């Protein structure tokens, strides 16, 4: 992967003619063409991304195991042979170059290399454990803890109930009444004990919240289905609830905040700055012809403007969006580019200088009919204008273009365009004589002395709905940050248009180079403390690389700057965004422009690539939390009342007023039907009016606890009233102390019916959990809720009137039904009374369903951190690997020292000649050397040599810091073929080996 054949271009060209296959690492310096990539290695840009995404785990484990085997070998020659067998032989030069490449990529790139393990099995086990733990979300953790607590309380209550019933019956029968245990009475006594046991089981069944997992599943599944209509394709269920806690969104600009339809909106042609598309008649004919040819020919022929698919829609842009904008400019001038391309097909192009980040321009040479040559160029205006010595005037004639004219043009034309958020492109040309033919390989001479045709300002318009969506996010307490590759002026202008930044606010807009300079120490390592000083105010990160994006996301997530951990959502569309999408709490991939790798790494796919869809995801996420809380408020009220009624009734009357089958029906109401009714509440805009709860939000707030206890008091008071004086109120027989097989009584049927009616009306109260008074608000927007409430009422009528002995019910009269319904309606009135009581006055109320500080960290993150720390410590303690690592470092250092001493520069490959495509793509502008003092390499003194040896062999000191893999992630498969010769008994290496 690190091989380079740039110095052997002739051989490469010949080999390609014979057999069109390129070795990994070959750099294509010029030209264009198509190629099929069959595989990439772990050191390529894609390989590093996939390593970070976890795809290269197996290869890493194999490599680590072989490295550990090599470390345990008796001599270095054996390990060299193992490396040769493995096909991984590398010399010191390549190792040094790799080291330099990794340093230049910075700590974030090194972080892509996972900490290595010498025990493949352990790593595999940890990986499986991590995958298993990752399935458990924060909400599930809270619910599990709450369910366990409630279950334990219910188990204790049911056990106490059974014990009291048995003791009461035993003492009353055999002690007080002094009845003997007769053999013929044994079946009767056993039936009593079975009855007591059933009552205890009933209490347990009612107390245990079986509906919690059901409520979560229903709420998430319903949300996922509805989010699909809001253009959110959810890949992982827990992403819904996580978005409800989001505190930060790092968004791309192009295509997400903007329409990704590049459009020319300003132009400077013929010494005139047009603020709008100029009228074609105002442009000189000669200038117009040059402009059309320059744009049509000097663009990829795959870039086209196609008719719209639907009538009234915008034309489709296919290919490079910037070139599409220029072609659209030609069409706006009432011209056509297709005839030009037909006259000059792609195969007739004489020479093409493709666009790259060094040139920042693209040039195409064509042969004119008179055998002379013409070159069309386009590119970044500040770059191309420096190479222009002439410019076309209003008459279409070239005039002299001096440096001071250029400075004036930059000041009056280009800078105002950039401040308006426009990308400025300069279009130019140059004519060459037919004889002598220019030396096309001499770029410096060819791409010079150009004649400027025009400068255009291209805008990627902000989506009309984005400013309002960002305003909603900010009102909801979510900070939106823009991470883009555009220049700082354009990014800032777009951020102002979107509402991400506002004039007068305290914010930061940084370029990637400046961002890296601020977050790294003198060694080039990223420090969390430095990131913590930047990210709270950072709003725009321009000219950023994918590695910068990953670094920012990781820095925000790992920050302890705020009281609660930040929950970060990230948008991305390219393969390079994969690591940031995977690292984020919620990753949004673009459904239209996104690559398969980005989609695979994401949690949610935006099917319309629109930022406003993210806001809808936030609404649904918060709605999931609220739905679970509503269900809990309802269920716990039923739990408390049912358990206390069963327990108290058993203790006082030796029987539960609510029979076993009745309790199971109540349990069905509150578990299945209630979870379905309350978990399908649609979200409202009011959800975005409050700040994020944070990851440690309690499931049961103090307001909810007030509602639970308040309604429980009302229900218990009425049920006990009916239990002890109900027979007098309705002039019916008492159901207390009934014999074992007595028929169902009207008394206990009224208690059961009243209890169910109170739960039905309390279900309406449970729709509001923040103290709102209007509990009917939006009730008809949820037909499922209305259907379940009415359906439950209808089934209750059937059970009471026709249930008979199986349900322990006796049919009731109409007036008795009206009293039951009236008492149930009292729940709504009582709810208004409870809402008037200020929660702040009730100091004794406590929250519930909150994770502890240790549990607050998601288990998958905790697992990763522990794995990282434990593994690092394990590596430090493992003597063999330390010996092998130190040996490799020392060998590399000694080879460099010896090479410099003997002036064998030809033995080393100069780092500058080995251009790494990964370095270039990851950090096109940033180099660690910029911020490091340049120190003379190594003197001839043994003292400095020994110091260098000790320094390189010492273990890393900051393994737990951000991106510490620079120190600890060492390539253990480095070739050690020279170790036998370099570690003679008298050498410093030998003594150091002995000490190690």
């Amino acid at each position: 992967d690190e091989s380079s054949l740039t110095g052997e271009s002739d051989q490469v060209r010949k080999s390609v003619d014979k057999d069109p296959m390129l070795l990994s690492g070959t750099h294509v310096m010029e030209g264009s063409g198509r190629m099929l990539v069959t595989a990439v290695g772990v050191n390529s840009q894609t390989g590093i991304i996939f390593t970070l995404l976890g795809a290269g785990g197996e290869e890493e484990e194999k490599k680590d195991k072989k490295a550990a085997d090599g470390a345990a070998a008796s001599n270095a020659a054996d390990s060299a042979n193992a490396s040769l067998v493995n096909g991984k032989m590398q010399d010191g030069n390549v190792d040094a170059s790799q080291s330099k490449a990794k340093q230049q990529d910075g700590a974030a790139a090194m972080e892509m290399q996972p900490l290595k393990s010498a025990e493949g099995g352990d790593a595999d086990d940890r990986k499986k454990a991590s995958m298993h733990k990752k399935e458990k979300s924060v909400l599930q953790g809270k619910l599990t803890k709450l369910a366990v607590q409630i279950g334990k309380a219910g188990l204790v209550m049911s056990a106490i109930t059974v014990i009291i019933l048995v003791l009461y019956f035993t003492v009353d029968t055999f002690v007080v009444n002094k009845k003997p245990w007769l053999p013929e009475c044994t079946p009767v006594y056993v039936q009593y004990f079975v009855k007591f046991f059933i009552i205890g089981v009933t209490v347990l069944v009612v107390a245990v919240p079986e509906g919690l997992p059901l409520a979560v599943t229903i709420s998430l599944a319903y949300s996922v289905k509805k989010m699909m209509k809001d253009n959110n394709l959810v890949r992982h269920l827990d992403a819904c609830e996580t978005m409800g806690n989001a505190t930060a969104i790092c968004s791309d600009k192009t295509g997400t905040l903007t329409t990704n339809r590049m459009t020319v909106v300003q132009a400077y042609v013929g010494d005139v700055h047009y603020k709008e598309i100029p009228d074609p008649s105002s442009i000189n004919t000669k200038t117009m012809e040059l402009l059309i040819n320059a744009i049509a020919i000097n663009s990829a022929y795959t870039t086209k403007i196609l008719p719209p698919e639907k009538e009234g829609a915008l034309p489709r842009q296919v290919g490079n969006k910037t070139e599409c904008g220029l072609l659209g400019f030609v069409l706006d001038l009432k011209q056509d580019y297709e005839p030009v391309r037909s006259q000059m097909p792609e195969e007739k192009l004489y020479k093409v200088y493709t666009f790259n980040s060094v040139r920042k321009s693209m040039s195409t040479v064509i042969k004119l009919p008179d055998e002379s040559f013409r070159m069309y160029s386009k590119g970044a205006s500040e770059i191309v204008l420096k190479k222009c010595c002439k410019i076309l005037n209003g008459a279409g004639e070239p005039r002299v273009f001096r440096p001071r004219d250029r400075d004036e043009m930059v000041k009056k034309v280009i800078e105002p365009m950039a401040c308006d958020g426009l990308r400025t492109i300069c279009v130019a040309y140059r004519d060459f004589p037919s004889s002598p033919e220019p030396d096309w390989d001499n770029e410096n001479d060819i791409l010079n002395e150009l004649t400027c045709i025009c400068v255009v300002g291209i805008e990627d318009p902000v989506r009309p709905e984005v400013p309002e969506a960002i305003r909603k996010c900010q009102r909801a307490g979510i900070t939106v940050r823009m991470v883009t590759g555009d220049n700082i002026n354009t990014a800032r202008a777009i951020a102002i248009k979107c509402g991400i930044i506002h004039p007068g606010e305290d914010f930061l807009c940084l370029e990637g180079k400046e961002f890296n300079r601020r977050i790294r120490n003198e060694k080039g390592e990223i420090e969390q403390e430095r990131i913590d000083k930047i990210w709270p105010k950072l709003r725009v990160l321009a000219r950023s690389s994918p590695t910068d994006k990953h670094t920012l996301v990781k820095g925000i997530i790992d920050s302890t700057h705020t009281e609660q951990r930040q929950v970060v959502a990230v948008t991305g569309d390219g393969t390079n965004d994969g690591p940031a999408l995977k690292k984020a709490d919620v990753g949004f991939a673009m459904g239209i422009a996104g690559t398969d790798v980005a989609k695979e790494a994401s949690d949610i796919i935006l099917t319309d690539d629109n930022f406003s869809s993210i806001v809808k995801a936030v609404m649904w996420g918060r709605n999931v939390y609220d739905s679970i809380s509503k269900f809990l408020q309802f269920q716990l009220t039923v739990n408390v009342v049912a358990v206390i009624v069963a327990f108290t009734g058993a203790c006082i009357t030796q029987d539960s007023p609510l029979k076993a089958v009745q309790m199971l029906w109540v349990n069905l109401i509150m578990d299945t039907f209630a979870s379905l009714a309350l978990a399908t509440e649609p979200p409202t805009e009011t959800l975005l009016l409050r700040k994020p709860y944070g990851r440690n939000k309690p499931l049961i707030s103090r307001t909810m606890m007030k509602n639970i206890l308040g309604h429980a008091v009302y229900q218990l008071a009425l049920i006990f009233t009916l239990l002890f004086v109900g027979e007098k109120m309705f002039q019916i027989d008492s159901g207390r102390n009934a014999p074992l097989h007595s028929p169902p009584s009207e008394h206990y049927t009224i208690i059961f019916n009243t209890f169910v009616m109170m739960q039905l009306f309390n279900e309406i109260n449970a729709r509001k959990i923040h103290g709102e008074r209007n509990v009917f608000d939006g009730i008809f927007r949820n037909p499922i809720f209305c259907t379940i409430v009415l359906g439950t009422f209808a089934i209750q009528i059937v059970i009471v009137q026709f249930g008979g002995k199986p349900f322990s019910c006796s049919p009731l009269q109409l007036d008795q039904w009206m009293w039951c319904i009236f008492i149930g309606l009292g729940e709504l009135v009582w709810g208004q009374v409870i809402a008037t009581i200020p929660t702040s006055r009730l100091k004794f109320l406590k929250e519930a369903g909150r994770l502890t500080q240790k549990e607050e960290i998601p288990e998958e993150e905790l697992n990763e951190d522990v794995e990282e720390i434990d593994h690092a410590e394990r590596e430090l303690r493992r003597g063999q690997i330390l010996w092998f690592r130190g040996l490799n470092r020392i060998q590399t250092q000694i080879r460099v020292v010896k090479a410099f001493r003997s002036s064998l520069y030809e033995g080393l490959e100069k780092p500058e000649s080995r251009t790494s495509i990964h370095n270039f793509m990851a950090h096109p502008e940033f180099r660690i050397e910029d911020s490091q003092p340049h120190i003379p390499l190594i003197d001839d003194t043994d003292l400095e040599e020994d110091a260098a040896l000790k320094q390189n062999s010492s273990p890393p000191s900051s393994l737990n810091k951000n991106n510490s893999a620079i120190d600890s992630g060492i390539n253990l498969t480095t070739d050690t073929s020279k170790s036998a010769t370099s570690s003679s008994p008298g050498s410093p290496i030998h003594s150091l080996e002995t000490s190690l």
Side-chain angles (χ1 to χ4, degrees):
D1 298 304
E2 293 293 330
S3 62
S4 175
L5 299 178
T6 53
E8 304 173 16
S9 55
D10 292 337
Q11 290 89 329
V12 171
R13 199 173 292 116
K14 289 174 184 176
S15 67
V16 168
D17 291 338
K18 294 178 183 178
D19 186 11
M21 178 145 334
L22 297 178
L23 296 178
S24 175
T26 303
H27 295 182
V28 180
M29 303 303 292
E30 281 306 333
S32 60
R34 293 180 177 86
M35 63 185 294
L36 174 67
V37 179
T38 58
V40 295
V42 293
N43 292 325
S44 64
Q45 173 76 350
T46 306
I48 289 174
I49 290 171
F50 274 96
T51 300
L52 182 58
L53 290 172
E58 294 178 5
E59 290 83 351
E60 291 293 331
E61 287 166 17
K62 290 177 185 175
K63 191 190 294 184
D64 296 339
K65 192 162 186 178
K66 288 181 181 178
D69 292 341
S74 58
N75 57 59
D78 290 341
S79 62
N81 293 334
S83 295
L84 281 168
V85 170
N86 198 20
K88 299 268 183 183
M89 181 170 180
Q90 299 166 331
D91 58 17
N93 306 332
V94 174
D95 190 45
S97 178
Q98 283 180 341
S99 176
K100 176 174 171 126
K102 289 170 182 173
Q103 278 190 351
Q104 286 179 346
D105 287 339
M110 278 302 301
E111 190 188 29
M112 297 180 183
Q113 311 290 341
L115 282 172
K116 302 184 180 182
S117 169
E119 300 172 11
D122 292 348
D124 191 53
D125 292 342
R126 278 196 304 274
K127 188 175 179 183
K128 287 179 181 176
S130 179
M131 288 174 64
H132 175 72
K133 287 190 174 182
K134 196 158 189 172
E135 295 173 2
K136 191 171 183 179
S137 66
V138 178
L139 178 60
Q140 287 170 323
K142 294 176 182 178
L143 288 172
T144 301
K145 182 179 179 182
L146 186 64
V148 168
Q149 291 172 343
I150 295 173
K152 288 178 179 177
L155 184 63
V156 170
M157 290 293 289
S158 64
I160 293 174
T161 303
V162 173
I163 292 170
I164 289 177
L165 285 170
V166 171
L167 288 177
Y168 191 100
F169 174 79
T170 305
V171 171
D172 183 62
T173 305
F174 302 114
V175 177
V176 177
N177 296 326
K178 298 181 179 180
K179 291 181 180 179
W181 184 296
L182 301 174
E184 57 269 19
C185 296
T186 300
V188 178
Y189 296 150
V190 169
Q191 287 184 29
Y192 270 108
F193 290 133
V194 169
K195 177 186 174 183
F196 300 153
F197 180 75
I198 290 174
I199 292 173
V201 170
T202 305
V203 171
L204 178 62
V205 168
V206 174
V208 173
E210 306 95 335
L212 271 181
L214 181 65
V216 175
T217 305
I218 289 175
S219 182
L220 290 175
Y222 177 78
S223 299
V224 166
K225 183 181 176 183
K226 292 295 184 181
M227 286 172 74
M228 191 62 199
K229 295 182 180 178
D230 288 337
N231 302 307
N232 284 273
L233 175 59
V234 180
R235 297 184 65 248
H236 301 135
L237 276 179
D238 58 347
C240 297
E241 43 136 319
T242 307
M243 270 313 292
N245 294 322
T247 57
I249 299 175
C250 295
S251 174
D252 279 346
K253 178 181 76 69
T254 306
T256 307
L257 300 176
T258 60
T259 59
N260 199 19
R261 289 187 60 86
M262 296 294 185
T263 311
V264 174
V265 293
Q266 294 186 30
Y268 182 86
V269 189
D271 292 338
V272 180
H273 185 185
Y274 297 94
K275 296 284 187 178
E276 296 176 350
I277 300 296
D279 188 84
S281 59
S282 64
I283 300 177
N284 182 273
T285 309
K286 190 186 295 184
T287 304
M288 179 73 80
E289 184 181 354
L290 280 169
L291 178 60
I292 294 166
N293 285 331
I295 292 175
I297 294 173
N298 189 32
S299 298
Y301 277 40
T302 53
T303 301
K304 300 174 185 176
I305 303 290
L306 299 179
E309 291 179 339
K310 297 179 181 178
E311 189 176 347
L314 293 171
R316 287 179 294 151
Q317 294 185 344
V318 179
N320 184 285
K321 297 299 181 182
T322 303
E323 291 181 347
C324 285
L326 292 171
L327 293 176
F329 180 50
V330 171
L331 298 178
D332 290 340
L333 293 173
K334 307 294 188 290
Q335 306 297 318
D336 192 4
Y337 62 87
E338 287 293 351
V340 178
R341 288 185 170 180
S342 301
Q343 281 184 347
M344 182 61 63
E346 194 171 6
E347 56 268 16
K348 285 190 178 181
L349 301 180
Y350 196 80
K351 175 75 174 176
V352 176
Y353 297 92
T354 53
F355 180 89
N356 63 38
S357 297
V358 177
R359 295 193 188 104
K360 291 195 180 294
S361 65
M362 175 184 176
S363 302
T364 303
V365 180
I366 62 171
K367 203 168 189 177
L368 299 176
D370 61 357
E371 298 297 319
S372 64
F373 301 95
R374 175 169 290 172
M375 180 182 70
Y376 296 110
S377 289
K378 73 169 187 293
S381 55
E382 62 269 22
I383 302 295
V384 177
L385 279 178
K386 288 180 181 178
K387 300 174 181 178
C388 291
C389 62
K390 295 179 182 178
I391 188 170
L392 295 181
N393 58 21
E397 299 296 330
R399 66 171 175 83
V400 178
F401 189 61
R402 293 162 295 193
R404 69 168 178 266
D405 296 330
R406 182 175 66 245
D407 294 340
E408 185 178 356
M409 188 172 178
V410 168
K411 189 175 180 181
K412 293 186 176 180
V413 178
I414 293 175
E415 285 185 357
M417 283 185 180
C419 290
D420 288 338
L422 306 184
R423 179 182 296 175
T424 54
I425 303 291
C426 179
V427 182
Y429 79 100
R430 180 183 178 184
D431 288 327
F432 297 94
S434 57
S435 180
E437 184 175 341
D439 179 11
W440 300 113
D441 291 332
N442 189 353
E443 278 190 48
N444 291 333
D445 291 339
I446 298 297
L447 300 178
N448 215 339
E449 298 180 10
L450 305 177
T451 300
C452 176
I453 301 173
C454 73
V455 174
V456 296
I458 299 181
E459 179 188 43
D460 188 3
V462 173
R463 289 180 182 267
E465 64 273 16
V466 162
E468 175 64 17
I470 289 178
R471 189 180 64 80
K472 288 179 181 177
C473 282
Q474 292 169 341
R475 190 175 59 192
I478 302 171
T479 303
V480 181
R481 295 177 175 85
M482 180 199 293
V483 184
T484 178
D486 254 334
N487 71 64
I488 189 74
N489 289 327
T490 303
R492 187 186 288 113
I494 295 293
I496 291 173
K497 288 181 181 178
C498 293
I500 293 175
I501 57 178
H502 303 280
E505 287 186 349
D506 186 15
F507 59 83
L508 280 176
C509 294
L510 297 178
E511 287 188 335
K513 186 176 181 180
E514 174 67 12
F515 174 71
N516 275 284
R517 189 186 66 78
R518 291 196 185 194
I519 65 173
R520 298 177 191 271
N521 58 21
E522 60 279 359
K523 296 180 182 177
E525 298 168 347
I526 294 176
E527 291 185 351
Q528 185 62 45
E529 295 79 11
R530 293 174 180 248
I531 297 179
D532 288 345
K533 293 178 182 176
I534 294 176
W535 73 258
K537 293 183 180 180
L538 183 66
R539 293 296 178 271
V540 176
L541 185 58
R543 290 287 185 218
S544 62
S545 69
T547 313
D548 296 335
K549 192 174 187 177
H550 180 269
T551 303
L552 176 63
V553 172
K554 187 179 188 307
I556 295 176
I557 291 175
D558 292 347
S559 175
T560 55
H561 181 75
T562 52
E563 186 177 338
Q564 291 186 339
R565 181 175 95 67
Q566 295 284 301
V567 180
V568 183
V570 170
T571 68
D573 54 6
T575 301
N576 292 340
D577 294 323
L581 289 170
K582 196 171 183 74
K583 182 65 186 174
D585 295 292
V586 181
F588 287 89
M590 303 298 134
I592 300 171
T595 62
D596 288 343
V597 173
K599 292 175 184 176
E600 192 65 30
S602 67
D603 301 295
I604 298 175
I605 297 174
L606 299 179
T607 55
D608 62 346
D609 291 11
N610 196 334
F611 183 85
S612 61
S613 300
I614 300 176
V615 182
K616 292 174 182 173
V618 173
M619 281 175 55
W620 279 105
R622 295 188 175 188
N623 190 61
V624 167
Y625 257 86
D626 278 12
S627 297
I628 303 303
S629 296
K630 291 172 185 177
F631 172 70
L632 279 172
Q633 177 174 297
F634 171 74
Q635 187 186 38
L636 292 182
T637 304
V638 183
N639 275 10
V640 169
V641 174
V643 170
I644 292 178
V645 166
F647 174 76
T648 309
C651 293
I652 296 176
T653 66
Q654 293 190 21
D655 192 10
S656 172
L658 301 174
K659 307 303 179 184
V661 179
Q662 294 174 354
M663 294 280 260
L664 292 176
W665 162 238
V666 170
N667 206 38
L668 184 66
I669 293 175
M670 70 179 187
D671 276 358
T672 310
F673 293 153
S675 62
L676 187 60
L678 294 171
T680 53
E681 287 279 323
T684 60
E685 291 285 337
T686 55
L687 291 168
L688 298 175
L689 296 178
R690 59 173 186 259
K691 301 299 179 186
Y693 290 126
R695 300 176 71 89
N696 202 21
K697 170 196 176 290
L699 284 171
I700 304 173
S701 63
R702 295 178 70 236
T703 302
M704 290 172 59
M705 193 66 77
K706 176 186 74 174
N707 294 339
I708 292 169
L709 296 179
H711 288 291
V713 167
Y714 172 82
Q715 293 181 20
L716 287 170
L718 286 169
I719 287 175
F720 284 131
T721 301
L722 291 174
L723 177 63
F724 295 111
V725 298
E727 70 275 14
K728 297 177 182 177
M729 292 171 57
F730 294 100
Q731 302 296 317
I732 54 177
D733 294 333
S734 173
R736 297 189 303 275
N737 302 318
L740 187 62
H741 295 292
S742 59
S745 66
E746 281 185 306
H747 184 196
Y748 276 12
T749 303
I750 289 174
I751 293 174
F752 164 61
N753 199 32
T754 303
F755 178 68
V756 172
M757 290 299 111
M758 286 192 292
Q759 305 317 320
L760 273 180
F761 288 103
N762 190 38
E763 196 167 338
I764 299 174
N765 278 328
R767 294 183 64 248
K768 304 298 177 184
I769 57 175
H770 299 293
E772 300 94 333
R773 285 190 173 276
N774 186 4
V775 294
F776 293 98
D777 182 33
I779 192 171
F780 295 111
R781 289 194 299 117
N782 186 4
I784 297 177
F785 182 89
C786 299
T787 303
I788 286 176
V789 170
L790 294 175
T792 305
F793 182 73
I795 296 173
Q796 178 67 16
I797 293 174
V798 173
I799 288 175
V800 170
Q801 297 302 116
F802 308 104
K805 194 165 185 180
F807 283 91
S808 302
C809 288
S810 174
L812 299 180
Q813 304 299 321
L814 181 61
D815 62 325
Q816 294 169 339
W817 265 102
M818 296 306 295
W819 272 106
C820 294
I821 295 173
F822 177 75
I823 294 172
L825 278 169
E827 271 285 352
L828 299 176
V829 179
W830 185 250
Q832 297 300 310
V833 174
I834 294 174
T836 58
I837 303 173
T839 309
S840 57
R841 296 284 183 89
L842 306 175
K843 302 293 185 183
F844 61 90
L845 293 178
K846 301 293 181 183
E847 296 171 336
R850 184 194 294 274
L851 293 179
T852 62
Q853 189 68 26
K854 183 178 179 182
E855 294 167 322
E856 184 179 348
I857 305 172
E859 292 197 38
E860 65 270 17
E861 290 182 15
L862 191 63
N863 186 64
E864 288 172 8
D865 293 342
V866 170
E867 175 187 337
E868 202 167 304
I869 296 168
D870 291 348
H871 180 44
E873 291 175 354
R874 200 179 300 119
E875 256 193 331
L876 286 175
R877 293 174 189 142
R878 193 175 289 123
Q880 291 178 338
I881 290 185
L882 178 60
W883 175 86
F884 192 67
R885 182 193 301 164
L887 180 62
N888 280 317
R889 285 179 170 177
I890 296 161
Q891 288 165 351
T892 303
Q893 183 71 21
I894 289 299
R895 280 198 292 273
V896 174
V897 173
K898 288 183 177 178
F900 272 97
R901 283 180 174 171
S902 56
S903 301
L904 293 177
Y905 289 97
E906 64 276 9
L908 284 172
E909 183 181 3
K910 293 184 180 179
E912 289 75 16
S913 69
R914 296 179 39 75
T915 309
S916 167
I917 191 70
H918 173 224
N919 297 345
F920 176 70
M921 292 180 72
H923 287 289
E925 296 179 352
F926 178 73
R927 293 290 181 268
I928 299 295
E929 286 80 7
D930 294 345
S931 59
Q932 285 184 329
H934 292 275
I935 305 172
L937 282 171
I938 293 180
D939 201 348
D940 288 338
T941 60
D942 290 335
L943 181 63
E944 290 185 9
E945 178 183 325
D946 291 342
L949 293 177
K950 290 176 182 176
Q951 181 180 358
N952 280 281
S953 61
S954 60
S957 58
S958 57
L959 284 169
N960 296 332
K961 286 190 178 178
N962 205 13
N963 300 295
S964 60
I966 280 186
D967 295 324
S968 59
I970 304 301
N971 187 355
L972 298 182
T973 59
T974 309
D975 173 34
T976 56
S977 57
K978 297 185 182 180
S979 61
T981 59
S982 61
S983 58
S984 58
S987 67
I989 293 182
H990 182 79
S991 61
L992 192 54
E993 287 172 4
T994 307
S995 66
L996 284 170

